[in-house]
Amino acid sequence: MLSTVPLNTSRRRVFGSVFSPASLEARPPLASSFDYDQAALASFQSTASFATLKDSQTGSLYTAPSQEVSDTSLDRETWDHAWAAATAFLSIPDFGFAPIFEARGTDGSETLKEWNRLTPPSKETADALTYLTAAAHYSDSSRDGTGSRDLFSWYGEEIRRHFLTNLRGGLYEVLHGSEKGGLLRTIVDCLQLAFRIYLAPIRHYLLPLVSASDQGRIFTQLQRGFHTVVSYSLPWLQISPLLAQELAQDALIILGIDTLIEESNEDEDEDQDEMEMDREYSVSYCDWKQANAETRARIMTEHENNEVIMARDRLLAFLNGLQLVGLGGDKAQKVFASVMNIMMTEFIRAAYTGEWETPTSVLPHLRHWVENVFARLAVQVLNIIHTQPSNQPPGTLDVSFADVEKWQEIAVSRLGALRTSELFEVIVEWPASTGAIEDLKHFTTHPSARAYVTQTFITILNQRLLHPGASTVEILQLYISIIRAFHLLDPKGVLLDRIARPIRRYLRDREDTVKVIVSGLLAEPPTGDASGLPSSHDILVELSTELSKAHQLSLQSNTSELDWDDANWMPDPIDAASDYRKSKSADVIDSLISLFDSKETFVKELQTLLAGRLLQKRDNFDQEISVLELLKVRFGDAALQACQVMLRDISDSRRVDHSIRHDQGLSKPPSRPHPKRPTPRPNHPDLHAKILSRFFWPEIQDQEFNVPEEISSLQTRYAEGFESLKQSRKLTWRNGLGQVTVELELGDRSFSDEVTTWQATIIHAFNSGSAESEEPVSKSVSDLSSELQMTSVLVRSACLFWVSKRILIETTRDTFRVLEYLPTDEEVAEDPTNTVGDGGMAGDAGDAAAAAEAAAAAAAKETAEAAAMEKMNLYWQFILGMLTNQGAMNLQKIVMMLKIVVPGGFPFSNEELREFLAGMVTKGKLEIISGGSYKLVH
Amino acid sequence: MDYTMEDTQNSAPDAIEATKLNTSGQRTETQSVTKRLQAELMQLMLSPSPGISAFPDADGNLLSWTATITGPTETPYENLNLKLSFSFPNSYPYSAPTVLFKTPIYHPNVDFSGRICLDILKDKWSAVYNVQTVLLSLQSLLGEPNNASPLNAQAAELWDNNQEEFKRQVLARHRDLDDE
């Protein structure tokens, strides 16, 4: 079955024609160098095993020759002998995985020797190899070359067999071992070594025997076989994260990201040496910016430091190995792409976070980096882990310039994303962060990018700004910055328009918005002295400067839309709504004032604030006048008429005051220009008045009380003078308003200060006992209250004020005494009576001041509460009308109606109203009927 | 046919334009009416007159109010609660509000559907009148009907001839709306 004689003879003839007959004819038909039986046995075994291994191959092996019985005359036996020798030589010893794992670090020559891979074949083996390849060559030329391929495919099978039996288990263990660092490197090293072991004999002894054209083909074939078995044994799902890790590790260094991160950490530990070392090669934005243009171009292409070069070499060598063992190619490219994607984001984050200076050169720096560092690495790596080496002529880059440009665009949008996420901080830092906005400008060229910016920013705003924790001043401050920043970002104001909406909506809901804006407008410019004003911390001083500045600006550029010669004209952005009209959005004041539907709210607040300021004793009101003039430009004269009248009242009063005092003989030169209240020179108080036209002034909360007699007589005379000057007009004195300059002569000291009228009245009451009597005057709060017709809260507040000035002391609760002589410290300590009352406050001026403040606040609160109660009475009328005419209603409905019908809105919460209504139910004016509705009791 | 089509097409923008103008005009008008009514309400609340009261309807529309008059003493309507509805036109206060009695009332100058014959609500209306003055006039009308031009002739006759019967009729017709 195995051999037929005619076949053998014909084969031998061919065999003889190729090899010198001497070498073969001289020995027995079967290999003579070793024992015949053994060899025959070995040959039989190996072919048999081969036959079982691969049926199709054996089939072709044995059927093919039989088909060509007629035209081939190869000796079957010779071929069998040659086959046996060759396979014996080529077969790989089953040493297992351990030796390869041990030797992975070496250059492999030792192992190759150990594994008997470098031993040159013996003469017979060499002959056998030559014979087999030649046979292959022969049949190749005659037919299809199955013979030679047989040997190589057998070897391919052998590799596979060996790999699966010896290496696969080991690799599997390594892959699932606990040690993760550099795991892939180990694996690749092992595989590389295995690959060399497998292919060494082929390369050294077999390939030279075949023609050059076949060499490449055969080698590729074997390589592919190896790659297949490797990728079969090592599931890619497990390899790819490892590969990504390896790539990321080196890419971090090569792309310079690690130094950036270090640098940002270095701020703490100031590692000077390393800084110097790094100076040569750095991708740091700061360094780059400081360099001049020429250095800039070179800085990233040259002067790589050692670490980078090492990392680069290491990575490229690793990738070479990876490609060699078949783990490169398409899949590795994908992993590489995703790693580079992360790297780019990482770099941008590390390099540019917080770099907001203007003028910015972030963008050229980024493009430069992408081109010279990022793309360079990409080119180098992709050159190694290519997919089809033979497809392209050598020297063609896998990366085109279009790709690089695309990467640059991607990088720019990444930068945009970074800046967008930083936008809130950028705005907070404004105007120190102009550069960041300039960067962002390059990003917001596309409608979707613009939408991204606005949406992200609005979300951030809602989270960080528009909540009760932020004060109105802060919000307004930020809004101003936003207006300015977005004006720079998008001069057409479309983005600002979108951003501003939620802010404006929120500000409208805040009660104190108007107040803050108006007080900001009226605030002294920062250069002026801020005495008597609250610190600029809670006032938007900026607004007053802005007001005058914006006015000048509006004069300059009023005709922007119809300016045909405007060389800087730009069309409206693509995402502008069709009816979008550019507002003067850069105008901060305008944006703030337009927050409110009507000017009325604004004007009303302005009036109240203005009233407070005008009633202060000051020499001039230039600031108020100028602010008012500027506001008139915006609002028109009519809206601000009341304010105008108020200002005129003040300036008129000065003249009127002068002439009345002159007429009535009240003036005594040299008197100060116009304090409203007397300066109590002994027995000659001095009275000045401000005459207000009641109709134009906002309601002023007033405390009614009797002024001292000296003053009231002066008031009468003054009023007479006024009535003679202005017929048919009358003066009504508002005793609660005004300032008094008080000078007090005490036993051991004198005191002089400006105080309020009621404080002055109180201290004047203590004066009445005359200065000569030895015993200091002592009065109780209730006495004073009835004597002066002043509310006791106010009396107490005024007394505590004087206590804080150490003029009075509280002897027992609610009883005060003049402190003619200051006690020495010992006396205070010894005298327990001083500390009666409110827990020692009389002794300590600081505490007393605090107490006085608290009392003043209490007095103010009482006034406010009275006002609120009065208001509630008004609302009661509304509720009464509502329930009379509309029948029973529940709380929600009442609140809703009140909100609609009460001018200026209903300021109380549902709870407060419920309480109030409950009070009315108790009083029997209301009843609650089914369903919780309130009904009037008839 | 075609021509008419063309016509409507051509005229359409104009029409839209016109409605636009109208609506904007209307809006400002409505605003001024609202303002005026708000002021009137405020005045009513600040200085309530005894026996009369008025308030906008609960639908939040300031243009329709409900008012209540308590019948004046020493009239047949003594202590009766009479409800009225006010409906203000957009041209208020330059034209009179429409005022109707909601409560069924037996009165010479009021018909059975509540319509009132009062000169100041018709040709004698003037912009200086307001809700309060109208209500006060109606209050006095209860005590002194104008029998010269009655809407309800029977009532006028009874008023003149048989006060007892008149009062009986008033009470028979009266029905309190509050309980609804």
Side-chain angles (χ1 to χ4, degrees):
Chain A
M1 182 197 105
L2 270 179
S3 56
T4 48
V5 177
L7 196 72
N8 276 354
T9 48
S10 68
R11 279 202 182 156
R12 186 181 287 158
R13 209 185 311 137
V14 178
F15 193 64
S17 71
V18 178
F19 300 106
S20 63
S23 64
L24 266 177
E25 262 9 280
R27 53 192 173 112
L30 289 172
S32 60
S33 57
F34 46 90
D35 186 85
Y36 172 75
D37 288 342
Q38 267 188 340
L41 190 63
S43 159
F44 179 75
Q45 276 174 341
S46 85
T47 36
S49 74
F50 187 31
T52 48
L53 253 174
K54 200 93 190 225
D55 281 335
S56 63
Q57 290 285 350
T58 30
S60 75
L61 179 66
Y62 289 103
T63 50
S66 66
Q67 279 168 356
E68 44 183 303
V69 168
S70 53
D71 52 355
T72 55
S73 55
L74 265 177
D75 183 20
R76 174 72 209 185
E77 245 173 82
T78 318
W79 193 87
D80 281 347
H81 278 284
W83 179 265
T87 49
F89 168 69
L90 286 176
S91 66
I92 309 153
D94 289 341
F95 289 163
F97 179 64
I100 291 184
F101 184 74
E102 296 302 325
R104 69 197 135 86
T106 65
D107 62 349
S109 52
E110 283 298 310
T111 328
L112 284 175
K113 264 181 215 147
E114 260 173 52
W115 285 59
N116 200 22
R117 300 277 83 184
L118 286 179
T119 336
S122 64
K123 178 82 173 108
E124 290 77 19
T125 324
D127 284 348
L129 290 175
T130 320
Y131 169 68
L132 285 174
T133 45
H137 183 69
Y138 170 78
S139 49
D140 190 38
S141 58
S142 63
R143 234 178 8 95
D144 207 22
T146 40
S148 164
R149 197 139 34 91
D150 287 344
L151 185 61
F152 288 116
S153 31
W154 173 83
Y155 193 65
E157 295 301 328
E158 175 67 8
I159 290 175
R160 187 179 316 204
R161 180 196 63 78
H162 184 266
F163 190 90
L164 292 178
T165 48
N166 291 298
L167 296 182
R168 189 180 170 200
L171 285 172
Y172 187 81
E173 268 168 38
V174 171
L175 200 58
H176 291 86
S178 53
E179 190 196 353
K180 287 288 174 197
L183 188 55
L184 195 62
R185 271 175 205 276
T186 318
I187 291 173
V188 168
D189 283 346
C190 292
L191 290 175
Q192 240 180 310
L193 187 58
F195 187 66
R196 289 182 64 184
I197 288 168
Y198 292 153
L199 288 190
I202 297 288
R203 191 177 297 162
H204 288 300
Y205 309 116
L206 218 49
L207 286 182
L209 301 178
V210 296
S211 64
S213 61
D214 283 350
Q215 275 181 8
R217 185 175 53 82
I218 290 163
F219 190 75
T220 319
Q221 217 168 1
L222 286 171
Q223 203 180 21
R224 198 175 293 158
F226 181 73
H227 290 173
T228 317
V229 72
V230 164
S231 57
Y232 168 72
S233 321
L234 298 172
W236 185 250
L237 270 181
Q238 286 170 355
I239 295 297
S240 66
L242 293 174
L243 177 59
Q245 198 184 329
E246 286 291 335
L247 286 173
Q249 203 179 335
D250 283 332
L252 271 176
I253 299 170
I254 297 167
L255 298 178
I257 300 169
D258 63 328
T259 52
L260 290 172
I261 297 170
E262 263 171 37
E263 237 169 66
S264 58
N265 293 340
E266 252 167 36
D267 292 344
E268 290 116 44
D269 52 17
E270 287 293 326
D271 200 340
Q272 280 294 338
D273 294 342
E274 203 173 329
M275 294 280 282
E276 287 306 316
M277 217 175 71
D278 280 348
R279 213 38 102 185
E280 277 286 285
Y281 171 76
S282 165
V283 291
S284 156
Y285 170 58
C286 289
D287 299 345
W288 192 74
K289 215 171 64 167
Q290 285 156 9
N292 56 33
E294 201 186 333
T295 331
R296 278 178 182 189
R298 287 188 292 114
I299 199 164
M300 273 191 253
T301 44
E302 296 163 25
H303 308 303
E304 291 198 337
N305 72 359
N306 286 335
E307 207 179 335
V308 172
I309 293 170
M310 268 165 55
R312 191 185 295 276
D313 291 347
R314 198 165 61 224
L315 180 67
L316 295 185
F318 164 68
L319 287 170
N320 263 323
L322 197 71
Q323 179 72 17
L324 194 66
V325 301
L327 292 173
D330 208 13
K331 292 176 189 163
Q333 280 189 4
K334 278 180 196 157
V335 173
F336 177 66
S338 78
V339 168
M340 286 303 265
N341 175 37
I342 297 166
M343 286 302 131
M344 184 183 279
T345 318
E346 193 63 20
F347 173 78
I348 288 169
R349 199 183 58 72
Y352 305 124
T353 307
E355 300 286 342
W356 301 332
E357 299 87 0
T358 184
T360 173
S361 30
V362 164
L363 212 67
H365 178 253
L366 182 58
R367 286 181 183 279
H368 194 72
W369 177 81
V370 169
E371 196 180 324
N372 291 311
V373 181
F374 187 83
R376 184 172 165 199
L377 179 64
V379 169
Q380 282 171 335
V381 168
L382 289 182
N383 259 346
I384 293 172
I385 49 171
H386 44 56
T387 36
Q388 274 301 330
S390 51
N391 259 356
Q392 293 164 324
T396 323
L397 293 179
D398 287 331
V399 180
S400 65
F401 275 109
D403 287 334
V404 176
E405 268 168 33
K406 205 163 66 197
W407 292 340
Q408 287 180 340
E409 288 318 307
I410 293 171
V412 170
S413 61
R414 293 277 160 79
L415 178 64
L418 172 75
R419 287 289 183 251
T420 310
S421 67
E422 291 181 317
L423 198 51
F424 189 80
E425 285 81 10
V426 168
I427 301 278
V428 171
E429 292 293 317
W430 191 266
S433 53
T434 327
I437 296 294
E438 285 168 24
D439 294 338
L440 200 54
K441 212 170 168 178
H442 293 280
F443 172 59
T444 56
T445 48
H446 193 266
S448 63
R450 293 161 68 92
Y452 173 75
V453 170
T454 47
Q455 270 166 18
T456 314
F457 191 53
I458 288 173
T459 319
I460 299 176
L461 280 180
N462 281 331
Q463 277 171 3
R464 301 186 54 178
L465 186 67
L466 305 181
H467 57 75
S471 77
T472 309
V473 177
E474 281 165 7
I475 296 176
L476 283 171
Q477 187 81 55
L478 218 61
Y479 181 41
I480 294 172
S481 297
I482 288 172
I483 290 174
R484 294 194 182 137
F486 274 76
H487 183 63
L488 180 71
L489 180 62
D490 172 33
K492 285 290 172 183
V494 178
L495 292 183
L496 176 62
D497 189 52
R498 287 198 215 137
I499 295 288
R501 267 163 217 240
I503 307 178
R504 294 168 70 88
R505 205 178 310 131
Y506 184 80
L507 279 175
R508 254 174 238 146
D509 290 346
R510 282 236 172 182
E511 280 170 9
D512 54 343
T513 307
V514 196
K515 200 167 181 159
V516 170
I517 294 175
V518 175
S519 56
L521 286 177
L522 283 174
E524 303 273 349
T527 43
D529 72 322
S531 62
L533 289 172
S535 67
S536 61
H537 180 66
D538 31 272
I539 283 197
L540 283 171
V541 181
E542 229 181 321
L543 279 179
S544 61
T545 14
E546 185 69 25
L547 184 64
S548 44
K549 202 170 73 192
H551 178 58
Q552 290 158 9
L553 277 178
S554 72
L555 288 180
Q556 286 168 11
S557 58
N558 238 349
T559 55
S560 57
E561 273 312 302
L562 291 172
D563 185 2
W564 305 108
D565 295 330
D566 186 1
N568 296 321
W569 182 85
M570 291 278 279
D572 279 348
I574 195 160
D575 49 346
S578 55
D579 60 341
Y580 176 77
R581 270 182 310 131
K582 178 183 165 17
S583 59
K584 281 182 273 172
S585 37
D587 185 352
V588 172
I589 308 277
D590 220 47
S591 312
L592 290 182
I593 289 171
S594 60
L595 273 176
F596 308 100
D597 294 333
S598 68
K599 297 172 198 163
E600 271 166 45
T601 1
F602 188 81
V603 171
K604 213 161 139 193
E605 188 63 40
L606 182 68
Q607 250 175 303
T608 320
L609 244 126
L610 199 60
R613 293 171 65 100
L614 290 180
L615 289 179
Q616 285 170 5
K617 195 191 104 187
R618 272 199 284 155
D619 287 345
N620 68 68
F621 292 95
D622 292 347
Q623 164 74 5
E624 283 77 6
I625 293 170
S626 70
V627 167
L628 201 64
E629 288 301 323
L630 288 170
L631 287 177
K632 267 199 310 199
V633 177
R634 291 165 189 280
F635 287 129
D637 289 353
L640 292 173
Q641 193 198 12
C643 299
Q644 187 65 23
V645 172
M646 285 161 67
L647 270 177
R648 225 196 35 229
D649 273 349
I650 298 301
S651 56
D652 280 359
S653 322
R654 201 179 304 185
R655 275 186 296 114
V656 172
D657 180 63
H658 186 78
S659 70
I660 291 175
R661 290 169 53 79
H662 185 75
D663 293 350
Q664 296 289 318
L666 291 171
S667 64
K668 291 179 288 291
S671 71
R672 292 169 68 184
H674 67 142
K676 182 182 170 186
R677 290 286 164 189
T679 312
R681 290 188 182 83
N683 302 325
H684 289 291
D686 202 7
L687 178 74
H688 295 265
K690 280 181 181 170
I691 297 135
L692 317 178
S693 318
R694 193 185 61 185
F695 184 73
F696 294 96
W697 285 69
E699 224 163 275
I700 300 163
Q701 277 177 20
D702 194 12
Q703 297 277 2
E704 280 307 320
F705 56 88
N706 295 343
V707 291
E709 210 166 306
E710 294 94 319
I711 307 297
S712 57
S713 68
L714 274 176
Q715 281 180 345
T716 326
R717 280 176 66 191
Y718 198 100
E720 279 166 13
F722 179 77
E723 276 156 40
S724 67
L725 192 71
K726 306 243 173 186
Q727 263 98 35
S728 76
R729 290 215 199 167
K730 277 197 138 176
L731 280 183
T732 311
W733 294 94
R734 308 293 292 246
N735 290 333
L737 306 172
Q739 285 92 41
V740 186
T741 310
V742 180
E743 284 174 24
L744 301 174
E745 295 287 339
L746 292 146
D748 57 349
R749 66 203 186 278
S750 63
F751 173 87
S752 173
D753 198 3
E754 290 219 344
V755 298
T756 62
T757 47
W758 39 278
Q759 285 162 348
T761 308
I762 291 292
I763 202 66
H764 184 267
F766 281 94
N767 180 42
S768 340
S770 98
E772 289 88 50
S773 79
E774 286 301 307
E775 194 58 34
V777 187
S778 178
K779 289 185 181 252
S780 75
V781 170
S782 52
D783 288 349
L784 285 167
S785 176
S786 58
E787 183 184 330
L788 300 169
Q789 299 289 312
M790 202 186 276
T791 62
S792 55
V793 178
L794 198 61
V795 172
R796 185 165 170 79
S797 154
C799 288
L800 286 179
F801 170 81
W802 288 114
V803 168
S804 76
K805 299 283 180 210
R806 308 207 75 180
I807 306 297
L808 298 180
I809 57 165
E810 189 170 22
T811 48
T812 57
R813 175 138 186 100
D814 283 347
T815 306
F816 294 88
R817 177 169 61 85
V818 178
L819 192 64
E820 285 288 354
Y821 298 93
L822 275 180
T824 61
D825 288 348
E826 297 86 57
E827 275 174 330
V828 173
E830 284 163 14
D831 187 2
T833 56
N834 274 351
T835 58
V836 186
D838 286 1
M841 71 163 70
D844 189 342
D847 278 359
E853 250 170 49
K861 194 172 166 231
E862 192 190 59
T863 332
E865 264 171 13
M869 211 50 225
E870 204 169 289
K871 266 193 178 166
M872 216 34 170
N873 274 332
L874 173 66
Y875 298 129
W876 173 240
Q877 287 301 326
F878 274 91
I879 295 165
L880 213 55
M882 200 184 306
L883 296 180
T884 311
N885 295 296
Q886 310 296 347
M889 279 181 164
N890 62 21
L891 186 75
Q892 263 70 40
K893 205 150 187 201
I894 293 176
V895 171
M896 194 196 82
M897 280 307 281
L898 283 175
K899 277 187 177 150
I900 294 172
V901 297
V902 175
F906 182 64
F908 297 99
S909 71
N910 287 10
E911 290 314 307
E912 284 167 309
L913 183 67
R914 190 195 301 278
E915 212 166 281
F916 176 78
L917 292 178
M920 285 303 179
V921 172
T922 328
K923 282 181 191 167
K925 294 195 175 174
L926 288 178
E927 59 181 342
I928 300 180
I929 59 168
S930 60
S933 294
Y934 292 91
K935 188 172 180 288
L936 284 178
V937 176
H938 291 295
Chain B
M1 183 71 181
D2 281 348
Y3 285 111
T4 49
M5 283 276 286
E6 202 172 273
D7 243 316
T8 46
Q9 273 178 348
N10 282 344
S11 65
D14 277 346
I16 291 166
E17 200 71 2
T19 41
K20 258 189 193 166
L21 284 173
N22 272 350
T23 47
S24 66
Q26 244 168 21
R27 211 177 46 170
T28 52
E29 224 164 60
T30 321
Q31 271 176 349
S32 77
V33 176
T34 316
K35 230 175 201 176
R36 154 98 182 204
L37 288 172
Q38 224 154 16
E40 282 191 25
L41 180 65
M42 197 66 191
Q43 195 198 340
L44 269 172
M45 294 302 134
L46 286 173
S47 52
S49 317
I52 61 168
S53 151
F55 208 76
D57 280 347
D59 58 0
N61 178 11
L62 274 176
L63 291 182
S64 63
W65 292 26
T66 301
T68 309
I69 299 179
T70 312
T73 47
E74 292 168 20
T75 67
Y77 306 96
E78 189 168 353
N79 290 332
L80 296 183
N81 274 329
L82 302 165
K83 298 249 174 186
L84 301 103
S85 78
F86 276 68
S87 163
F88 300 92
N90 277 331
S91 49
Y92 184 82
Y94 303 107
S95 37
T98 312
V99 186
L100 295 173
F101 271 100
K102 283 296 171 195
T103 314
I105 180 172
Y106 189 78
H107 188 274
N109 300 111
V110 184
D111 71 6
F112 285 116
S113 44
R115 283 185 287 244
I116 305 163
C117 178
L118 181 66
D119 51 358
I120 64 161
L121 288 177
K122 302 281 186 298
D123 48 339
K124 292 276 169 58
W125 172 259
S126 142
V128 299
Y129 294 129
N130 56 33
V131 176
Q132 197 166 17
T133 54
V134 168
L135 286 174
L136 287 171
S137 306
L138 287 171
Q139 198 181 24
S140 66
L141 190 69
L142 293 177
E144 303 156 13
N146 178 6
N147 281 345
S149 60
L151 272 177
N152 183 344
Q154 186 205 17
E157 206 182 314
L158 279 182
W159 176 275
D160 286 338
N161 302 326
N162 190 348
Q163 280 283 343
E164 283 297 308
E165 176 62 14
F166 185 87
K167 177 144 194 190
R168 213 181 54 76
Q169 287 282 355
V170 165
L171 292 179
R173 178 142 175 76
H174 181 79
R175 189 159 50 80
D176 242 330
L177 281 181
D178 235 15
D179 302 332
E180 279 175 15

